[in-house]
Amino acid sequence: MSPSRPDPRDVESIDAIIAATYDVISGPTGKKRDWERERSLFHSDARLIPTATVPGRNNVDLAPLVLDVEGYIARVEPLFEKEGFYEKEVARRVEQFGQIVHVWSTYESRRDPKDPEPFMRGINSIQLFNDDKRWWILSIYWQHESPKNPLPEKYLQR
């Protein structure tokens, strides 16, 4: 399913795979992220889908930008070269049926973990699957908070 072997601790539980997901993308300016670890968390057909502004239009129109893991890495690696990026989960809602799970993970992003206020907040909609051996990320679909779409209170409660 994935070309990279995961650290078993990263994929043994819902908590572990969510923590690894945030950990692997966080770091100081110019720090090369552990992309093999990133790849190991995702099913080979997984998708990462930022809700992004529509090119050639205004900064308000949003649309999903569907990426595979390699496309995501190519998109963010240049950004991580220029600026520190630390993202952490601040609240979570989980719905599970059998081996499938939907996680609503509210996040805050900072340039430095000591920054008093995040420069961005939003929600990751994460779909997981357990194959009786480990957890896999099938998709992460996210949207940043905006004045038009503030974070609902129910997604800020732990």
Side-chain angles (χ1 to χ4, degrees), residues 125-147:
S125 169
I126 305 170
Q127 288 68 49
L128 302 173
F129 173 72
N130 188 295
D131 64 3
D132 289 327
K133 297 180 184 113
R134 58 158 290 177
W135 286 98
W136 295 93
I137 299 172
L138 295 179
S139 68
I140 303 178
Y141 183 28
W142 67 95
Q143 182 172 333
H144 305 309
E145 179 180 43
S146 69

PDB file of all heavy atoms in Angstrom, residues 125-147:
ATOM      1  N   SER A 125     -10.278  17.644   7.757  1.00  0.00           N
ATOM      2  CA  SER A 125     -11.208  16.526   7.707  1.00  0.00           C
ATOM      3  C   SER A 125     -10.377  15.329   7.252  1.00  0.00           C
ATOM      4  O   SER A 125      -9.915  15.288   6.106  1.00  0.00           O
ATOM      5  CB  SER A 125     -12.323  16.836   6.705  1.00  0.00           C
ATOM      6  OG  SER A 125     -13.091  15.691   6.463  1.00  0.00           O
ATOM      7  N   ILE A 126     -10.162  14.391   8.154  1.00  0.00           N
ATOM      8  CA  ILE A 126      -9.230  13.282   7.903  1.00  0.00           C
ATOM      9  C   ILE A 126      -9.999  11.969   7.893  1.00  0.00           C
ATOM     10  O   ILE A 126     -10.738  11.669   8.829  1.00  0.00           O
ATOM     11  CB  ILE A 126      -8.128  13.237   8.989  1.00  0.00           C
ATOM     12  CG1 ILE A 126      -7.416  14.584   9.088  1.00  0.00           C
ATOM     13  CG2 ILE A 126      -7.143  12.097   8.715  1.00  0.00           C
ATOM     14  CD1 ILE A 126      -6.494  14.711  10.294  1.00  0.00           C
ATOM     15  N   GLN A 127      -9.802  11.187   6.836  1.00  0.00           N
ATOM     16  CA  GLN A 127     -10.414   9.869   6.741  1.00  0.00           C
ATOM     17  C   GLN A 127      -9.319   8.821   6.933  1.00  0.00           C
ATOM     18  O   GLN A 127      -8.273   8.883   6.277  1.00  0.00           O
ATOM     19  CB  GLN A 127     -11.101   9.664   5.392  1.00  0.00           C
ATOM     20  CG  GLN A 127     -12.381  10.474   5.246  1.00  0.00           C
ATOM     21  CD  GLN A 127     -12.149  11.971   5.180  1.00  0.00           C
ATOM     22  OE1 GLN A 127     -11.310  12.448   4.433  1.00  0.00           O
ATOM     23  NE2 GLN A 127     -12.881  12.715   5.983  1.00  0.00           N
ATOM     24  N   LEU A 128      -9.589   7.878   7.845  1.00  0.00           N
ATOM     25  CA  LEU A 128      -8.635   6.828   8.193  1.00  0.00           C
ATOM     26  C   LEU A 128      -9.245   5.459   7.943  1.00  0.00           C
ATOM     27  O   LEU A 128     -10.465   5.283   8.002  1.00  0.00           O
ATOM     28  CB  LEU A 128      -8.246   6.920   9.676  1.00  0.00           C
ATOM     29  CG  LEU A 128      -7.634   8.227  10.162  1.00  0.00           C
ATOM     30  CD1 LEU A 128      -7.484   8.200  11.683  1.00  0.00           C
ATOM     31  CD2 LEU A 128      -6.297   8.467   9.497  1.00  0.00           C
ATOM     32  N   PHE A 129      -8.373   4.483   7.726  1.00  0.00           N
ATOM     33  CA  PHE A 129      -8.770   3.089   7.554  1.00  0.00           C
ATOM     34  C   PHE A 129      -7.802   2.208   8.339  1.00  0.00           C
ATOM     35  O   PHE A 129      -6.597   2.448   8.330  1.00  0.00           O
ATOM     36  CB  PHE A 129      -8.726   2.701   6.073  1.00  0.00           C
ATOM     37  CG  PHE A 129      -8.958   1.227   5.838  1.00  0.00           C
ATOM     38  CD1 PHE A 129     -10.211   0.682   6.009  1.00  0.00           C
ATOM     39  CD2 PHE A 129      -7.914   0.396   5.463  1.00  0.00           C
ATOM     40  CE1 PHE A 129     -10.434  -0.682   5.810  1.00  0.00           C
ATOM     41  CE2 PHE A 129      -8.118  -0.954   5.254  1.00  0.00           C
ATOM     42  CZ  PHE A 129      -9.387  -1.501   5.429  1.00  0.00           C
ATOM     43  N   ASN A 130      -8.350   1.194   8.991  1.00  0.00           N
ATOM     44  CA  ASN A 130      -7.521   0.226   9.702  1.00  0.00           C
ATOM     45  C   ASN A 130      -7.664  -1.125   9.015  1.00  0.00           C
ATOM     46  O   ASN A 130      -8.780  -1.638   8.857  1.00  0.00           O
ATOM     47  CB  ASN A 130      -7.936   0.120  11.170  1.00  0.00           C
ATOM     48  CG  ASN A 130      -6.972  -0.730  11.952  1.00  0.00           C
ATOM     49  OD1 ASN A 130      -6.856  -1.922  11.711  1.00  0.00           O
ATOM     50  ND2 ASN A 130      -6.278  -0.116  12.888  1.00  0.00           N
ATOM     51  N   ASP A 131      -6.518  -1.702   8.597  1.00  0.00           N
ATOM     52  CA  ASP A 131      -6.532  -2.991   7.889  1.00  0.00           C
ATOM     53  C   ASP A 131      -6.229  -4.167   8.823  1.00  0.00           C
ATOM     54  O   ASP A 131      -5.814  -5.220   8.379  1.00  0.00           O
ATOM     55  CB  ASP A 131      -5.551  -2.968   6.716  1.00  0.00           C
ATOM     56  CG  ASP A 131      -4.102  -2.811   7.151  1.00  0.00           C
ATOM     57  OD1 ASP A 131      -3.811  -2.778   8.366  1.00  0.00           O
ATOM     58  OD2 ASP A 131      -3.242  -2.716   6.252  1.00  0.00           O
ATOM     59  N   ASP A 132      -6.458  -3.967  10.095  1.00  0.00           N
ATOM     60  CA  ASP A 132      -6.184  -4.946  11.155  1.00  0.00           C
ATOM     61  C   ASP A 132      -4.692  -5.070  11.466  1.00  0.00           C
ATOM     62  O   ASP A 132      -4.315  -5.860  12.318  1.00  0.00           O
ATOM     63  CB  ASP A 132      -6.768  -6.332  10.841  1.00  0.00           C
ATOM     64  CG  ASP A 132      -8.291  -6.345  10.932  1.00  0.00           C
ATOM     65  OD1 ASP A 132      -8.840  -5.606  11.778  1.00  0.00           O
ATOM     66  OD2 ASP A 132      -8.916  -7.075  10.156  1.00  0.00           O
ATOM     67  N   LYS A 133      -3.855  -4.302  10.761  1.00  0.00           N
ATOM     68  CA  LYS A 133      -2.425  -4.279  11.057  1.00  0.00           C
ATOM     69  C   LYS A 133      -1.972  -2.888  11.486  1.00  0.00           C
ATOM     70  O   LYS A 133      -1.070  -2.758  12.296  1.00  0.00           O
ATOM     71  CB  LYS A 133      -1.620  -4.703   9.832  1.00  0.00           C
ATOM     72  CG  LYS A 133      -1.882  -6.128   9.393  1.00  0.00           C
ATOM     73  CD  LYS A 133      -1.050  -6.479   8.175  1.00  0.00           C
ATOM     74  CE  LYS A 133      -1.412  -7.861   7.718  1.00  0.00           C
ATOM     75  NZ  LYS A 133      -2.073  -7.920   6.444  1.00  0.00           N
ATOM     76  N   ARG A 134      -2.637  -1.859  10.920  1.00  0.00           N
ATOM     77  CA  ARG A 134      -2.221  -0.482  11.169  1.00  0.00           C
ATOM     78  C   ARG A 134      -3.289   0.480  10.677  1.00  0.00           C
ATOM     79  O   ARG A 134      -4.212   0.087   9.959  1.00  0.00           O
ATOM     80  CB  ARG A 134      -0.904  -0.188  10.456  1.00  0.00           C
ATOM     81  CG  ARG A 134      -1.009  -0.426   8.947  1.00  0.00           C
ATOM     82  CD  ARG A 134       0.004   0.284   8.124  1.00  0.00           C
ATOM     83  NE  ARG A 134      -0.216   1.716   8.102  1.00  0.00           N
ATOM     84  CZ  ARG A 134       0.588   2.566   7.485  1.00  0.00           C
ATOM     85  NH1 ARG A 134       1.656   2.146   6.856  1.00  0.00           N
ATOM     86  NH2 ARG A 134       0.339   3.856   7.490  1.00  0.00           N
ATOM     87  N   TRP A 135      -3.134   1.754  11.027  1.00  0.00           N
ATOM     88  CA  TRP A 135      -3.990   2.820  10.513  1.00  0.00           C
ATOM     89  C   TRP A 135      -3.350   3.419   9.269  1.00  0.00           C
ATOM     90  O   TRP A 135      -2.122   3.546   9.191  1.00  0.00           O
ATOM     91  CB  TRP A 135      -4.197   3.910  11.571  1.00  0.00           C
ATOM     92  CG  TRP A 135      -5.124   3.454  12.638  1.00  0.00           C
ATOM     93  CD1 TRP A 135      -4.787   2.945  13.864  1.00  0.00           C
ATOM     94  CD2 TRP A 135      -6.543   3.410  12.570  1.00  0.00           C
ATOM     95  NE1 TRP A 135      -5.919   2.597  14.550  1.00  0.00           N
ATOM     96  CE2 TRP A 135      -7.008   2.872  13.785  1.00  0.00           C
ATOM     97  CE3 TRP A 135      -7.471   3.775  11.597  1.00  0.00           C
ATOM     98  CZ2 TRP A 135      -8.361   2.705  14.043  1.00  0.00           C
ATOM     99  CZ3 TRP A 135      -8.808   3.610  11.857  1.00  0.00           C
ATOM    100  CH2 TRP A 135      -9.247   3.072  13.081  1.00  0.00           C
ATOM    101  N   TRP A 136      -4.180   3.799   8.309  1.00  0.00           N
ATOM    102  CA  TRP A 136      -3.776   4.470   7.077  1.00  0.00           C
ATOM    103  C   TRP A 136      -4.563   5.763   6.933  1.00  0.00           C
ATOM    104  O   TRP A 136      -5.766   5.789   7.202  1.00  0.00           O
ATOM    105  CB  TRP A 136      -4.110   3.622   5.852  1.00  0.00           C
ATOM    106  CG  TRP A 136      -3.386   2.337   5.741  1.00  0.00           C
ATOM    107  CD1 TRP A 136      -3.807   1.116   6.191  1.00  0.00           C
ATOM    108  CD2 TRP A 136      -2.117   2.124   5.122  1.00  0.00           C
ATOM    109  NE1 TRP A 136      -2.874   0.160   5.883  1.00  0.00           N
ATOM    110  CE2 TRP A 136      -1.815   0.751   5.221  1.00  0.00           C
ATOM    111  CE3 TRP A 136      -1.205   2.961   4.480  1.00  0.00           C
ATOM    112  CZ2 TRP A 136      -0.652   0.198   4.716  1.00  0.00           C
ATOM    113  CZ3 TRP A 136      -0.037   2.413   3.974  1.00  0.00           C
ATOM    114  CH2 TRP A 136       0.228   1.044   4.092  1.00  0.00           C
ATOM    115  N   ILE A 137      -3.921   6.807   6.436  1.00  0.00           N
ATOM    116  CA  ILE A 137      -4.649   8.014   6.039  1.00  0.00           C
ATOM    117  C   ILE A 137      -5.083   7.826   4.593  1.00  0.00           C
ATOM    118  O   ILE A 137      -4.259   7.528   3.725  1.00  0.00           O
ATOM    119  CB  ILE A 137      -3.773   9.279   6.165  1.00  0.00           C
ATOM    120  CG1 ILE A 137      -3.329   9.487   7.611  1.00  0.00           C
ATOM    121  CG2 ILE A 137      -4.544  10.500   5.640  1.00  0.00           C
ATOM    122  CD1 ILE A 137      -2.303  10.587   7.784  1.00  0.00           C
ATOM    123  N   LEU A 138      -6.382   7.977   4.354  1.00  0.00           N
ATOM    124  CA  LEU A 138      -6.911   7.909   2.994  1.00  0.00           C
ATOM    125  C   LEU A 138      -7.045   9.295   2.379  1.00  0.00           C
ATOM    126  O   LEU A 138      -6.839   9.471   1.185  1.00  0.00           O
ATOM    127  CB  LEU A 138      -8.267   7.216   2.976  1.00  0.00           C
ATOM    128  CG  LEU A 138      -8.260   5.753   3.391  1.00  0.00           C
ATOM    129  CD1 LEU A 138      -9.669   5.200   3.364  1.00  0.00           C
ATOM    130  CD2 LEU A 138      -7.344   4.941   2.504  1.00  0.00           C
ATOM    131  N   SER A 139      -7.411  10.271   3.220  1.00  0.00           N
ATOM    132  CA  SER A 139      -7.493  11.640   2.723  1.00  0.00           C
ATOM    133  C   SER A 139      -7.441  12.630   3.871  1.00  0.00           C
ATOM    134  O   SER A 139      -7.840  12.317   4.994  1.00  0.00           O
ATOM    135  CB  SER A 139      -8.761  11.865   1.894  1.00  0.00           C
ATOM    136  OG  SER A 139      -9.907  11.800   2.715  1.00  0.00           O
ATOM    137  N   ILE A 140      -6.919  13.794   3.529  1.00  0.00           N
ATOM    138  CA  ILE A 140      -6.995  14.961   4.406  1.00  0.00           C
ATOM    139  C   ILE A 140      -7.503  16.103   3.534  1.00  0.00           C
ATOM    140  O   ILE A 140      -6.889  16.441   2.522  1.00  0.00           O
ATOM    141  CB  ILE A 140      -5.644  15.346   5.035  1.00  0.00           C
ATOM    142  CG1 ILE A 140      -5.037  14.181   5.815  1.00  0.00           C
ATOM    143  CG2 ILE A 140      -5.823  16.578   5.938  1.00  0.00           C
ATOM    144  CD1 ILE A 140      -3.676  14.490   6.433  1.00  0.00           C
ATOM    145  N   TYR A 141      -8.625  16.664   3.934  1.00  0.00           N
ATOM    146  CA  TYR A 141      -9.262  17.755   3.199  1.00  0.00           C
ATOM    147  C   TYR A 141      -9.396  18.892   4.195  1.00  0.00           C
ATOM    148  O   TYR A 141      -9.959  18.703   5.269  1.00  0.00           O
ATOM    149  CB  TYR A 141     -10.616  17.252   2.711  1.00  0.00           C
ATOM    150  CG  TYR A 141     -11.441  18.194   1.867  1.00  0.00           C
ATOM    151  CD1 TYR A 141     -10.881  19.172   1.067  1.00  0.00           C
ATOM    152  CD2 TYR A 141     -12.829  18.054   1.856  1.00  0.00           C
ATOM    153  CE1 TYR A 141     -11.672  19.990   0.289  1.00  0.00           C
ATOM    154  CE2 TYR A 141     -13.626  18.867   1.076  1.00  0.00           C
ATOM    155  CZ  TYR A 141     -13.045  19.836   0.290  1.00  0.00           C
ATOM    156  OH  TYR A 141     -13.828  20.642  -0.481  1.00  0.00           O
ATOM    157  N   TRP A 142      -8.848  20.078   3.880  1.00  0.00           N
ATOM    158  CA  TRP A 142      -8.833  21.126   4.889  1.00  0.00           C
ATOM    159  C   TRP A 142      -9.202  22.489   4.330  1.00  0.00           C
ATOM    160  O   TRP A 142      -9.117  22.750   3.141  1.00  0.00           O
ATOM    161  CB  TRP A 142      -7.500  21.190   5.609  1.00  0.00           C
ATOM    162  CG  TRP A 142      -6.306  21.632   4.799  1.00  0.00           C
ATOM    163  CD1 TRP A 142      -5.803  22.904   4.726  1.00  0.00           C
ATOM    164  CD2 TRP A 142      -5.449  20.818   4.009  1.00  0.00           C
ATOM    165  NE1 TRP A 142      -4.686  22.921   3.925  1.00  0.00           N
ATOM    166  CE2 TRP A 142      -4.442  21.648   3.470  1.00  0.00           C
ATOM    167  CE3 TRP A 142      -5.427  19.458   3.686  1.00  0.00           C
ATOM    168  CZ2 TRP A 142      -3.433  21.170   2.643  1.00  0.00           C
ATOM    169  CZ3 TRP A 142      -4.419  18.981   2.863  1.00  0.00           C
ATOM    170  CH2 TRP A 142      -3.442  19.836   2.359  1.00  0.00           C
ATOM    171  N   GLN A 143      -9.624  23.325   5.279  1.00  0.00           N
ATOM    172  CA  GLN A 143      -9.951  24.716   4.968  1.00  0.00           C
ATOM    173  C   GLN A 143      -9.491  25.584   6.120  1.00  0.00           C
ATOM    174  O   GLN A 143      -9.688  25.234   7.290  1.00  0.00           O
ATOM    175  CB  GLN A 143     -11.452  24.891   4.745  1.00  0.00           C
ATOM    176  CG  GLN A 143     -11.817  26.321   4.373  1.00  0.00           C
ATOM    177  CD  GLN A 143     -13.269  26.453   3.977  1.00  0.00           C
ATOM    178  OE1 GLN A 143     -13.898  25.519   3.502  1.00  0.00           O
ATOM    179  NE2 GLN A 143     -13.810  27.647   4.152  1.00  0.00           N
ATOM    180  N   HIS A 144      -8.875  26.718   5.760  1.00  0.00           N
ATOM    181  CA  HIS A 144      -8.450  27.690   6.759  1.00  0.00           C
ATOM    182  C   HIS A 144      -9.646  28.514   7.219  1.00  0.00           C
ATOM    183  O   HIS A 144     -10.589  28.739   6.456  1.00  0.00           O
ATOM    184  CB  HIS A 144      -7.397  28.638   6.193  1.00  0.00           C
ATOM    185  CG  HIS A 144      -6.208  27.948   5.619  1.00  0.00           C
ATOM    186  ND1 HIS A 144      -5.495  26.980   6.298  1.00  0.00           N
ATOM    187  CD2 HIS A 144      -5.592  28.074   4.420  1.00  0.00           C
ATOM    188  CE1 HIS A 144      -4.505  26.553   5.536  1.00  0.00           C
ATOM    189  NE2 HIS A 144      -4.540  27.193   4.395  1.00  0.00           N
ATOM    190  N   GLU A 145      -9.551  28.993   8.438  1.00  0.00           N
ATOM    191  CA  GLU A 145     -10.542  29.915   8.963  1.00  0.00           C
ATOM    192  C   GLU A 145     -10.428  31.241   8.201  1.00  0.00           C
ATOM    193  O   GLU A 145      -9.345  31.638   7.779  1.00  0.00           O
ATOM    194  CB  GLU A 145     -10.267  30.127  10.450  1.00  0.00           C
ATOM    195  CG  GLU A 145     -11.207  31.077  11.129  1.00  0.00           C
ATOM    196  CD  GLU A 145     -10.883  31.247  12.597  1.00  0.00           C
ATOM    197  OE1 GLU A 145      -9.693  31.377  12.944  1.00  0.00           O
ATOM    198  OE2 GLU A 145     -11.827  31.237  13.401  1.00  0.00           O
ATOM    199  N   SER A 146     -11.544  31.931   8.052  1.00  0.00           N
ATOM    200  CA  SER A 146     -11.566  33.246   7.411  1.00  0.00           C
ATOM    201  C   SER A 146     -12.664  34.075   8.075  1.00  0.00           C
ATOM    202  O   SER A 146     -13.500  33.527   8.802  1.00  0.00           O
ATOM    203  CB  SER A 146     -11.845  33.105   5.916  1.00  0.00           C
ATOM    204  OG  SER A 146     -13.179  32.683   5.713  1.00  0.00           O
ATOM    205  N   PRO A 147     -12.673  35.373   7.819  1.00  0.00           N
ATOM    206  CA  PRO A 147     -13.779  36.178   8.373  1.00  0.00           C
ATOM    207  C   PRO A 147     -15.143  35.650   7.922  1.00  0.00           C
ATOM    208  O   PRO A 147     -16.101  35.656   8.677  1.00  0.00           O
ATOM    209  CB  PRO A 147     -13.508  37.583   7.821  1.00  0.00           C
ATOM    210  CG  PRO A 147     -12.023  37.615   7.611  1.00  0.00           C
ATOM    211  CD  PRO A 147     -11.660  36.206   7.162  1.00  0.00           C
TER     212      PRO A 147
END
